[in-house]
Amino acid sequence: MNPGDNPDYPQQIGLEFGDNPPVDNEAPLSVDNAVALSTPEQTTTLLQQWQDAGWLRPLDTGFARLIGDLCWQQGEHTAPLVLLLAALVSHQVGRGHVCIDLSALLADADNTLALPPEDTPKSPAVAPAPLARPQALLARIPLADCQAALAGSSAVSDGRQATPLVFEGNRLYLRRLWRYEQGIAEGIRLRLSLPSALADADSSAANTLSRALQVLFRPSDAVNYQKLACALAARNRFAVVTGGPGTGKTTTVVNLLAALQAVAGEIPERAGRKYRIRLAAPTGKAAARLNESIGGAVRQLPLAELPGQVTLEDIPTRVTTLHRLLGSRPDTRKFRHHQDNPLPVDILVIDEASMVDVDLMASVFAALPARAHLILLGDKDQLASVDAGAVLGELCQRAPRAHYTPATADWLARITGEQLPEQLVDSCGQVLDQAVAMLRKSYRFSDDSGIRQLAEAVNTNTLNPTILQQASNAAFDDVIWLNGLTPQPEPDATRALIARHLLDGTPQAFRQQGQGRTNANGDPLPPPVGYGHYLQLLHNHQLTHASPLSDWDALARTVLEAFGEFQILCALRRGPWGVEGLNQQIAGELNRLKLIERTEGWYQGRPVLITGNDYNLGLMNGDIGITFDWPDPAAAPNKEPQRRVAFPSNDGSEGIRWISPSRLQQLETVYAMTVHKSQGSEFNHTCLVLPDRLSPVLTRELVYTGITRARNWFSLITGDAQVFQDSVEQQVVRASGLALRLVEQ
């Protein structure tokens, strides 16, 4: 008998809700809620109440009804628990989880589900009675009852049948997400199991690799983790290279590709042919940034000294988006390249891999030839993908301690000459550990950098009064907390602070007023700036209708570069502390200062962010453009200037594309952008604005990502000082089984 078939089921599992003590001042539950799991109809009613209150999406309740309909068609009476869990797993996928862990759910349902949401009232007016919270419904349900209900449903299987839900190891999946996770795990296991011609340190190929690495890396007294990462990634057909900002991920991958091409002639299966290599990133902005940096790095390679006759043509410098690489098809999740039409590639490198969700990563593995190398680059501590999954984070869970086996350590020593620290060697290291390399030295930030110290304190949850006081008192050269440890500053005072800061970046608030610093090359570093910098350049130029197009292109490049000197980041999209509210406030202040002519519509100086790929225009999600009054050189001299938006070409040519606003479909004003949108970018001066109350989206990963978008200057403005500290206590933990699958191999 299914649990839902028994009319006494709620009492049998201890769901006497009226006897439960109130939770968080929750009012006593109504009779309807007390029998919420007594019949499918009662459960459906509860789910609808949660939807009406904004706790669940229509998609979630609709999926539960679909499960009920499918079971009914099979002549089955659906267990109420199955309907509830179906809605909740859909809800969790919408929050970025791959599955729902029943043990965690039953132990702490409210926090696992983040229900009720922070931005909805405790007792919504639309509800006929105070709503039952998940904690009250699920706290007394034994795991065995959930397992029994799922086992008895025709809508659930262990994956061997084509059911919409898959239950495996106490993890409940939508079948689509389960298949994605399976595909990723299988793709990794396959590549790690294939033999490598480099595994024998005495082989000709390994000797060539060793000679190439000696050419590519200068001798150093300290352990060269870039060199170690190159060796590990060259030995495996699947590899991960992770590291924080400035640790040299781009330099490492360029050297790796040069080393692989040098070795190609020694690999029997290559028959002397060079590798076909492609470079990709999840967004257009990330691809453009890698495109800009990789070209210069390739040109600095000592190719003439390498074995194997490596040429510039052997190392690609063009980076594309993953969607373009795989071949996007309109109105479908499917790509042109897949298992039956694989990519013509031997090595694929994906940068900013933390932004890749399980759906896209599974598509990558499906499209790769079975023997192709896949190399993932990224910062494991950054925000995970917007959609479901945290693939890079899961793969790098053990990276800080490395867990290299003695055999791996010996191989690395023979190939690179580098001796691993003892704490990174583990005789019980797993197979995946031997393919994950972590870069541990920052070349961008010095040891006394405030950006580095603050980011590390956030990342390790070691914020202390000393570092907070230093940030508040401008004790760091490069960090300032503008309203400091003020517990709850007046909102009007904070808005006025933002208005002043956005104009010039408040250099006087920094230590020594932002003067006296130098960059890595020893050149003087200009003080921090705000948005007034790019707007002055835009308004004070001397170009006319008669000026050649090349001069207008040069001006656009200068203005775009100046705009990238400063960026306001925030955690939320809506409300006075979100993107929408801050963009309105900033535009209003710039208009009051007569730096822009209006706050709505198209005006000279308006910065815009592309929010969707437009392959016809060659614009990618994340591209930023600036609006100009542009006197078309091809038009008559007396014709009024036209509005055009200038975008960088992002192909390394330093070209400019002038696009009519009427052709732009998916965009938003970008004085302020979310931290999520900023991933893959960096700005000379970054200002992070945090709200006056804690929200589930305010996490350690978000704060860390916001701080590390700053190249030289970082400023912080908070609506409440405690929110900054509390955010660091909240960490993103996404339910998934990927890491377990790879351990179980």
Side-chain angles (χ1 to χ4, degrees), residues 395-422:
L395 297 176
C396 296
Q397 284 178 357
R398 291 161 56 89
R401 295 296 300 272
H403 300 281
Y404 296 136
T405 63
T408 296
D410 178 67
W411 184 88
L412 286 170
R414 296 180 64 183
I415 296 299
T416 68
E418 303 285 336
Q419 295 293 329
L420 282 170
E422 290 184 7

Side-chain angles (χ1 to χ4, degrees), residues 719-742:
D720 185 334
Q722 191 61 42
V723 168
F724 173 49
Q725 300 174 63
D726 290 345
S727 298
V728 177
E729 298 289 337
Q730 296 192 143
Q731 191 169 12
V732 175
V733 179
R734 290 190 168 179
S736 169
L738 178 60
L740 290 173
R741 295 183 195 283
L742 295 171

Side-chain angles (χ1 to χ4, degrees), residues 176-233:
R176 175 172 60 87
L177 275 298
W178 177 81
R179 290 180 61 192
Y180 293 157
E181 189 175 278
Q182 286 279 94
I184 294 169
E186 290 171 5
I188 294 173
R189 283 197 297 262
L190 169 65
R191 284 164 177 78
L192 293 181
S193 67
L194 291 173
S196 170
L198 298 169
D200 180 0
D202 295 320
S203 68
S204 173
N207 287 330
T208 300
L209 174 64
S210 182
R211 286 188 288 127
L213 293 177
Q214 301 309 317
V215 170
L216 292 165
F217 293 96
R218 298 176 182 175
S220 171
D221 294 334
V223 177
N224 192 324
Y225 289 102
Q226 292 185 4
K227 191 176 184 181
L228 292 168
C230 280
L232 276 178

Side-chain angles (χ1 to χ4, degrees), residues 432-446:
L432 177 63
D433 296 332
Q434 318 312 306
V436 178
M438 181 172 170
L439 306 179
R440 300 166 191 267
K441 175 178 172 58
S442 175
Y443 297 89
R444 180 186 304 169
F445 303 122
S446 61

